[in-house]
């Protein structure tokens, strides 16, 4: 859940937004899969916004609400920042020592009942249901498949957690790392330029199955861009 932004806001403006932090000099992305559908293909389908949310969202606590949730027949999407969600299982990089805002729970769980592993599983966070936007009414539930796009890279992920009802733009440690974004929950993330596309009424059989999400994401992306 997005508690990091709220905690940092209370801690002080110096830690409030990734924009105040120096850009990372290292590449954090592991060698990835080459997708048949490119970032350019996907972005071409989300140039125009048919707003489906009743209002707009903040990218961080204390910022102006400027981000709408947009929709097509096949997907919902938004363009925002990327804050790091490290919640769920305790791992080497996701724990209370590494992330003061760490919470040992995610909104959705693995097929075996355990919490999700943010360090290993690419997932995105959606705002909690509200009058502004209820993701469930848009066909988005836990395990729905998403495409996250940043600087020409595409990472397929699942919907794995929910956050505050008025804030949007967050993904797991694993998602950030795959996109070449600093995944450090304290100082990582990027302040803008990330596109999130969530395919309506989609799902993977096991939310923790990264390979299944990748395969299903590529299939849905091909349909979405008219190449399927």
């Amino acid at each position: 859940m997005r508690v990091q932004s709220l905690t940092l806001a209370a801690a002080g403006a110096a830690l409030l937004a990734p924009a105040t932090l120096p850009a990372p000099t290292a590449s954090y992305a592991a060698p990835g899969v080459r997708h048949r559908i490119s970032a350019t293909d996907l972005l071409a389908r989300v140039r125009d916004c048919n707003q489906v949310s009743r209002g707009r969202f903040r990218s961080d606590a204390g910022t102006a609400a400027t981000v709408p949730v947009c929709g097509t027949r096949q997907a919902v999407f938004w363009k925002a920042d990327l804050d790091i969600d490290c919640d769920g299982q305790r791992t080497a990089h996701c724990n209370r020592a590494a992330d003061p805002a760490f919470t040992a729970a995610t909104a959705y769980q693995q097929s075996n009942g355990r919490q999700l592993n943010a360090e290993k599983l690419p997932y995105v966070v959606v705002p909690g249901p509200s009058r502004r936007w209820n993701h469930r009414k848009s066909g988005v539930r836990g395990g729905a498949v998403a495409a996250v796009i940043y600087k020409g890279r595409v990472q397929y992920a699942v919907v794995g957690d929910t956050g505050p009802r008025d804030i949007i733009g967050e993904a797991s440690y694993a998602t950030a790392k795959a996109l070449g974004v600093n995944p450090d929950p304290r100082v990582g993330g990027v302040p803008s330029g990330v596109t999130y596309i969530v395919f309506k009424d989609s799902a993977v059989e096991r939310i923790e199955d990264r390979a299944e999400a990748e395969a299903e994401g590529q299939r849905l992306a091909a349909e979405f861009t008219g190449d399927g």
Side-chain angles (χ1 to χ4, degrees):
M1 299 178 187
R2 181 195 295 267
V3 293
Q4 178 184 356
S5 296
L6 301 177
T7 302
L8 295 183
L15 293 178
L16 177 60
T20 64
L21 301 166
T25 57
S27 174
Y28 298 89
V33 178
R34 286 194 174 186
H35 299 129
R36 180 164 62 92
I37 306 303
S38 69
T40 301
D41 296 329
L42 287 164
L43 292 175
R45 289 283 287 113
V46 296
R47 278 197 295 254
D48 301 320
C49 177
N50 175 25
Q51 186 169 329
V52 297
S53 57
R54 292 190 178 185
R56 299 190 175 205
F57 291 86
R58 305 175 191 276
S59 58
D60 289 292
T63 62
T66 60
V67 182
V69 175
C70 311
T72 72
R73 182 177 58 83
Q74 296 166 294
V76 292
F77 64 91
W78 54 92
K79 300 175 183 182
D81 63 341
L82 194 160
D83 292 327
I84 309 300
D85 189 313
C86 228
D87 295 341
Q89 295 182 34
R90 291 179 177 84
T91 65
H93 294 99
C94 289
N95 53 66
R96 194 164 297 282
D99 178 8
F102 174 79
T103 300
T106 47
Y108 306 105
Q109 288 72 48
Q110 297 182 165
S111 57
N112 62 3
R114 295 190 67 190
Q115 304 300 324
L116 302 184
N117 185 327
E119 187 174 339
K120 292 185 177 180
L121 179 68
Y123 68 72
V124 301
V125 181
V126 296
S130 69
R131 285 179 54 82
R132 184 183 281 109
W133 182 54
N134 185 335
H135 58 274
R136 299 188 189 106
K137 292 183 178 180
S138 291
V140 174
R141 294 174 175 77
V145 180
V148 189
I149 305 159
Y150 180 66
K151 287 190 174 180
R153 286 180 171 152
V154 180
Q155 176 59 46
Y156 294 107
V158 293
V159 172
D161 206 355
T162 59
R165 293 180 295 178
D166 64 337
I167 296 177
I168 204 166
E170 187 175 13
S172 68
Y173 182 106
T175 308
K177 184 175 180 181
L179 290 170
V181 171
N182 183 349
D184 188 311
R186 288 179 181 266
V187 299
V190 290
S192 62
V194 181
T195 299
Y196 302 78
I197 302 171
V198 183
F199 300 106
K200 293 180 179 179
D201 300 313
S202 63
V204 293
E205 185 174 346
R206 298 191 308 148
I207 194 171
E208 70 273 18
D209 192 332
R210 182 169 179 168
E212 183 184 355
E214 178 74 31
E216 185 66 359
Q218 292 193 54
R219 185 187 70 80
L220 291 166
E223 291 183 356
F224 186 61
T225 59
D227 196 32

